[in-house]
């Protein structure tokens, strides 16, 4: 795992070397002060050489100025390194999410995904910057300080060092406990975000049912769990910090007591004693650094593990090595012995055989759960078939690149999704980079021009999250305008008017009829009145395709379609 983590440093080798080099030099310069004090007290002070002492202090000040500059580089450029790595990881994760199949999103919570891309990676930058740097500097400073202390008084240096293994052991012990706690905390944050996201997006339902108190109580449960997990994590951190603090103070007092005894016994000079005390502080500083790394490490690594879990989620649906770009498809569609089941469960489609001619309008009807939407979802490879094949113009859709396949298919759904932005941005999503004239033409074709001009800001009108400021009919017209702009040869209409009132439905139906002209169109509908003019009607049941034909033919046949028609119209 650490090898995979360090692979993200590769693009920033130069930045890492600068940061690491400056940190090493700054750590070495930190050792200069105790030695300088030693020389001043033992060599220069007894001789009363004021001028030499003054110049030595000026030289020492110069070293501190250099050290200050190095610390600036380490603080700013080092954090820049960490932020760059965090940014790359977030980009990689977002890119991966864009390629995950519908199957994944069927089960994933939006709040969890948002948490994976935000909170989970927050501490990655810190561990990326401070982890290797502080660890190396701490070990180097420990060794350097110990060597200088040993050169002054070996016995006292060894006595001082005895406590270090105990402090490192305690840090590692608490670090393991914090790693578990922080991993659980990230999971609680994800649940917390999912709860808030559900509540905000469903606020109209919440208030319509007067369930505000219920939502508040549910939020309190998630909020309380999050609080308890954080308290557990920080209690462990507090124990680690407190024990380390008392041990370091013990070392300081121990050095003070033993050093005084050595001075009294003539085993050390005053300069050696003061230098040793200062070096002991330098010696203890790396242990503080190690504690800091050990506190940050569990959060960073817990986040990185969750990052990798999502990154390792198989995209399932991807381009085959020999997949080719397609364009200008005519729309001759064939389903040949197609079988499919969700998540590897029992097949809901078995042996589906279906041929749709170029430019033909085909309607799929039947009871809910029979597989009408699933049949259409297999065409743009939102899901991959288990057996059989689906071809367009004689080419297996798995032999086409996903992007080129989907660029040839337009989908208008019952539940329209609009982005929080302007009317122009939402229409232009059908063809990124479309000209103003193309956008207005698409709006007119979808009978949206009058709606747009009624707003003071016209095309620049902000429609709110998920188009909340628009009516159902206006949302649907906007999605149709988007499809006019995309101009695909194959069109899927998934109950595109079933949620609208009769008058609005008639207007939208007119737009859809215009949109369908010259395209191969698959219509999923429950309202049979909207599809009686289709070239062919296919009745789908749980057993497969029950019958197909024109409206009048199926009525006369007295089969499944005739029964559906009678149930709706009472004839």
């Amino acid at each position: 795992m650490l090898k995979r983590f360090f692979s993200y440093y590769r693009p920033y080798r130069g930045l890492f070397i600068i940061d690491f080099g400056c940190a090493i030099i700054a750590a070495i310069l930190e050792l200069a002060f105790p030695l300088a004090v030693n020389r001043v007290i033992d060599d220069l002070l007894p001789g009363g050489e004021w001028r030499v002492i003054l110049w030595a202090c000026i030289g020492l000040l110069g070293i501190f100025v250099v050290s200050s500059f190095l610390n600036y580089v380490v603080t700013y450029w080092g954090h820049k390194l960490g932020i760059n790595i965090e940014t790359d990881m977030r980009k990689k994760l977002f890119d991966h999410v864009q390629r995950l199949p519908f199957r994944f999103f069927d089960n994933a919570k939006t709040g969890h995904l948002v948490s994976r891309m935000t909170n989970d990676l927050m501490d990655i930058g810190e561990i990326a910057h401070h982890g290797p740097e502080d660890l190396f500097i701490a070990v180097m400073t420990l060794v350097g300080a110990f060597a200088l202390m040993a050169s002054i008084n070996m016995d006292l240096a060894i006595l001082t060092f005895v406590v270090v293994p105990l402090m490192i052991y305690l840090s590692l012990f608490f670090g393991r406990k914090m790693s578990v706690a922080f991993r659980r905390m990230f999971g609680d944050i994800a649940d917390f975000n999912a709860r808030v996201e559900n509540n905000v997006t469903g606020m109209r339902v919440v208030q319509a049912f007067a369930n505000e108190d219920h939502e508040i109580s549910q939020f309190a449960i998630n909020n309380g769990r999050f609080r308890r997990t954080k308290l557990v994590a920080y209690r462990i951190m507090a124990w680690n910090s407190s024990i380390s603090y008392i041990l370091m103070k013990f070392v300081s007092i121990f050095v003070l007591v033993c050093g005084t005894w050595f001075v009294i016994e003539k085993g050390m000079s005053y300069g050696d004693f003061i230098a040793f005390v200062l070096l002991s502080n330098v010696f203890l500083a790396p242990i503080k650094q190690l504690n800091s790394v050990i506190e940050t490490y569990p959060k960073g690594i817990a986040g990185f593990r969750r990052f990798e879990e999502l990154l390792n989620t198989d995209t399932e649906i991807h381009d085959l090595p020999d997949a080719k770009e397609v364009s200008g498809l005519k729309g001759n569609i064939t389903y040949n012995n197609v079988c499919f089941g969700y998540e590897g469960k029992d097949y809901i489609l078995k042996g589906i055989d279906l041929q749709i001619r170029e430019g033909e309008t085909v309607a799929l009807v039947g009871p809910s759960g029979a597989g009408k939407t699933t049949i259409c979802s297999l065409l743009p490879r939102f899901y991959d078939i288990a057996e059989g094949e689906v071809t367009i113009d004689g080419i297996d859709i798995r032999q086409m690149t996903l992007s080129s396949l989907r660029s040839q298919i337009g989908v208008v759904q019952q539940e329209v999704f609009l982005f929080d932005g302007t009317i122009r941005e939402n229409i232009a999503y059908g063809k990124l980079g479309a000209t103003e004239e193309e956008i207005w033409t698409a709006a007119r074709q979808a009978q949206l021009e009058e709606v747009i001009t009624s707003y003071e800001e016209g095309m620049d009108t902000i429609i709110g999250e998920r188009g909340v400021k628009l009516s159902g009919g206006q949302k649907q017209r906007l999605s149709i305008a988007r499809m006019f702009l995309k101009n695909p040869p194959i069109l899927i209409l998934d109950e595109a008017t079933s949620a609208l009132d009769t008058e609005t439905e008639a207007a939208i139906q007119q737009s859809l009829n215009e949109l369908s002209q010259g395209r191969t169109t698959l219509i999923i509908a429950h309202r049979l009145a909207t599809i009686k003019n289709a070239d062919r009607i296919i009745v789908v049941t749980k057993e497969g395709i029950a019958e197909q034909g024109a409206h009048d033919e199926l009525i006369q046949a007295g089969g499944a379609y005739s029964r559906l028609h009678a149930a709706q119209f009472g004839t």
Side-chain angles (χ1 to χ4, degrees):
M1 186 188 65
L2 288 175
K3 184 179 179 181
R4 292 192 299 275
F5 179 76
F6 284 119
S7 69
Y8 289 94
Y9 285 81
R10 196 169 293 120
Y12 308 106
R13 281 190 292 260
L15 195 58
F16 178 73
I17 290 168
I18 291 171
D19 170 50
F20 208 72
C22 288
I24 291 172
I25 297 169
I28 292 171
L29 292 179
E30 198 65 31
L31 298 172
F33 184 67
L35 297 178
V37 170
N38 188 351
R39 296 283 71 81
V40 168
I41 293 174
D42 279 352
D43 300 338
L44 302 180
L45 194 58
E49 299 183 41
W50 168 248
R51 185 181 296 275
V52 177
I53 292 173
L54 186 61
W55 278 108
C57 289
I58 291 171
L60 196 58
L61 179 62
I63 291 173
F64 287 151
V65 168
V66 173
S67 184
S68 175
F69 171 74
L70 294 172
N71 281 318
Y72 169 83
V73 172
V74 169
T75 302
Y76 177 70
W77 292 93
H79 278 103
K80 184 178 180 180
L81 168 69
I83 291 167
N84 286 348
I85 290 172
E86 179 187 339
T87 302
D88 286 352
M89 287 182 178
R90 193 168 284 120
K91 179 183 182 302
K92 188 172 183 179
L93 194 58
F94 186 82
D95 292 349
H96 181 70
V97 168
Q98 302 310 298
R99 290 167 176 79
L100 290 175
F102 275 29
R103 192 193 305 272
F104 172 82
F105 296 102
D106 290 342
N107 301 309
K109 293 182 180 180
T110 304
H112 281 207
L113 286 176
V114 171
S115 185
R116 292 278 178 112
M117 284 188 249
T118 52
N119 298 313
D120 286 14
L121 295 179
M122 284 294 189
D123 291 294
I124 289 286
E126 285 299 304
I127 195 68
H129 168 212
H130 290 293
E133 176 188 297
D134 285 3
L135 198 60
F136 182 83
I137 299 304
V139 173
M140 189 195 74
T141 307
L142 269 174
V143 173
F146 179 77
L148 293 173
M149 290 162 69
S151 69
I152 294 171
N153 190 302
M154 177 62 80
D155 294 337
L156 186 54
I158 291 172
L159 289 171
T160 306
F161 190 78
V162 167
V163 77
V164 173
L166 174 61
M167 294 175 74
I168 292 174
Y169 168 77
L170 286 170
S171 294
L172 292 173
F173 172 76
F174 285 115
R176 282 193 295 271
K177 287 185 172 293
M178 281 191 287
S179 185
V180 174
F182 281 121
R183 189 170 172 79
R184 182 180 170 189
M185 187 176 77
F186 282 133
D188 287 345
I189 291 173
D191 288 338
F192 178 87
N193 287 345
R195 168 62 58 187
V196 172
E197 192 267 341
N198 270 339
N199 177 262
V200 172
T201 55
M203 186 54 70
R204 284 165 179 76
V205 176
V206 172
Q207 294 186 357
F209 282 89
N211 279 342
E212 293 90 341
D213 290 341
H214 170 73
E215 287 297 316
I216 289 169
S217 65
Q218 290 297 108
F219 176 81
I221 293 171
N222 286 100
N223 202 23
R225 187 185 302 132
F226 182 30
R227 172 184 173 274
R228 288 191 296 274
T229 306
K230 287 194 79 171
L231 285 175
V232 168
Y234 286 106
R235 183 169 66 237
I236 296 168
M237 191 182 293
W239 273 110
N240 181 39
S241 177
S242 299
I243 293 174
S244 296
Y245 175 83
I246 194 65
L247 284 174
M248 284 191 284
K249 292 306 175 187
F250 170 78
V251 171
S252 296
I253 294 171
F254 180 79
V255 168
L256 196 63
V257 172
C258 293
T260 303
W261 186 82
F262 276 110
V263 170
I264 293 170
E265 294 296 318
K266 307 300 181 185
M268 293 174 72
S269 66
Y270 288 108
D272 286 343
F273 173 57
I274 293 173
F276 199 97
V277 170
L278 293 173
L279 281 169
S280 70
N281 289 327
V282 174
F283 178 74
L284 292 173
I287 298 175
K288 290 180 184 177
Q289 273 185 313
L290 285 173
N291 270 335
S292 177
V293 170
I294 288 167
E295 285 178 4
T296 309
Y297 178 85
K299 285 199 281 187
I301 292 304
F304 185 70
R305 282 200 176 109
R306 283 169 58 84
F307 160 81
E308 282 214 312
E309 281 174 11
L310 183 52
L311 200 63
N312 291 332
T313 303
D314 188 6
T315 56
E316 295 180 30
I317 299 173
H318 41 73
D319 291 337
L320 296 178
D322 57 346
K324 56 186 177 182
E325 296 279 334
V326 292
S327 62
L329 294 178
K330 298 184 184 302
N332 288 300
I333 302 167
T334 301
Y335 288 76
N336 184 18
N337 195 31
V338 169
C339 298
F340 174 78
Y342 288 102
E343 298 181 2
K345 296 179 181 176
D346 293 341
Y347 290 162
I348 59 171
L349 296 178
K350 299 177 183 177
I352 297 296
D353 290 305
L354 178 61
Q355 287 191 326
I356 302 169
R357 297 182 300 276
E358 172 190 349
E360 187 179 15
T361 297
V362 171
L364 302 177
V365 299
S368 296
K372 302 183 297 297
T373 299
T374 303
I375 289 172
C376 292
S377 295
L378 295 177
L379 189 60
R381 288 188 70 198
F382 293 150
Y383 303 92
D384 258 344
I385 60 176
E387 295 179 29
E389 66 173 0
V390 179
T391 67
I392 302 176
D393 296 351
I395 306 170
D396 191 319
I397 57 173
R398 289 169 293 193
Q399 296 299 325
M400 307 175 188
T401 61
L402 278 171
S403 60
S404 66
L405 167 66
R406 291 172 181 174
S407 70
Q408 302 290 298
I409 301 172
V411 183
V412 179
Q413 296 173 317
Q414 172 187 341
E415 187 179 344
V416 177
F417 183 89
L418 299 176
F419 295 95
D420 179 16
T422 65
I423 293 175
R424 176 186 289 103
E425 289 167 347
N426 274 278
I427 295 175
Y429 204 78
K431 181 185 175 183
L432 301 178
T435 64
E436 187 75 4
E437 182 55 36
E438 286 175 321
I439 294 171
W440 272 108
T441 299
R444 293 186 194 102
Q445 289 173 314
Q447 301 181 32
L448 196 61
E449 183 177 22
E450 188 177 330
V451 174
I452 296 171
T453 54
S454 69
Y455 291 111
E456 187 178 335
E457 296 179 350
M459 278 284 187
D460 295 317
T461 302
I462 301 292
I463 63 173
E465 189 173 11
R466 302 194 180 197
V468 69
K469 296 180 182 179
L470 303 179
S471 69
Q474 289 168 344
K475 289 180 187 178
Q476 197 61 275
R477 281 194 184 102
L478 204 155
S479 73
I480 292 169
R482 194 156 60 187
M483 207 51 62
F484 269 116
L485 194 59
K486 183 177 182 179
N487 194 28
I490 300 170
L491 188 62
I492 297 172
L493 305 179
D494 190 352
E495 303 202 43
T497 63
S498 63
L500 306 175
D501 61 82
T502 306
E503 186 178 348
T504 304
E505 181 182 18
I508 298 297
Q509 195 63 49
Q510 184 180 340
S511 298
L512 290 173
N513 289 339
E514 188 177 337
L515 179 60
S516 301
Q517 293 300 314
R519 308 176 201 277
T520 302
T521 306
L522 285 74
I523 304 173
I524 301 168
H526 279 125
R527 295 188 189 180
L528 303 186
T530 62
I531 50 92
K532 64 181 181 180
N533 294 322
D535 297 323
R536 190 157 39 118
I537 297 170
I538 297 171
V539 182
V540 181
T541 66
K542 292 185 178 180
E543 285 71 42
I545 296 175
E547 57 183 354
Q548 53 184 303
H551 171 78
D552 293 337
E553 292 174 10
L554 294 177
I555 291 291
Q556 292 174 6
Y561 181 78
S562 180
R563 290 192 294 274
L564 286 171
H565 190 273
Q568 283 195 20
F569 297 100
T571 59

